Amino acid sequence: MGLISPAQLLVWVMRGLAMLLAIPVHESAHAWASAKLGDPTAKNMGRLSLNPMAHFDLLGAVCMIVVGIGWAKPVPVYPQRYKNPKTGMALSAAAGPISNLLLAYLSMMLYKLAYYFLPAGMAAELVLYFLYYMVAINVSLAVFNLLPVPPFDGSRILLLVLPRRLYFQVMQYERQIFIGMFLLLMFGVFDTPLYWLNNGMWSILNHATAFIDRAVYMAAGIAV
């Protein structure tokens, strides 16, 4: 018997495939928002692209596949090019998680449509499995990146409420904070809050796509 079961291998494959879509969308959203706000640096560096290799980070990709949480190469921004640096930083940072939530919403709709309308069989099971991980990976990326801790996107949004001087004092230790955060994640310190945040987002997406369930039940003559 091998060290890796077929079921575990399938999970990793599905996470990897979902990651190939989720991460480029996330990073391209940062680049697009930054360019619209006045800083085309990321766009000029080819980061406004859905090509996964434009955003690939080896360690981040491995972590995403193995544990479901990871990262890509940071998108470079120069906030001094924004008309309002504080607001520009927050908006360009928020663009990534928002794009993942939109992709998760679309994936949940497709999941429900596939669940109700695809004929039963191995192909349908694989499609459903893939769409499930599309929701899971995108929700995880959005929730994880909204944590108000550098270098995650949530820390840039925090600039809106923190005094500028205090914010940049904290950001001087971004690398050290990231290493500490990563170690805490590996030891499971944030497992419980992340679990509740992810579950809460799944519940919101389920309610937001409930119109599909109602339409199917009504078409079948089932009272809801």
Side-chain angles (χ1 to χ4, degrees), residues 109 112-113 116-117 206-224:
M109 285 197 296
K112 290 188 175 184
L113 291 171
Y116 288 120
F117 296 111
N206 186 43
H207 285 298
T209 56
F211 66 93
I212 296 175
D213 305 299
R214 289 194 294 269
V216 171
Y217 294 153
M218 288 176 65
I222 301 173
V224 292

Side-chain angles (χ1 to χ4, degrees), residues 22-43:
I23 286 183
V25 166
H26 179 105
E27 301 301 332
S28 293
H30 284 314
W32 176 83
S34 189
K36 289 295 182 182
L37 290 163
D39 176 24
T41 304
K43 180 181 178 181

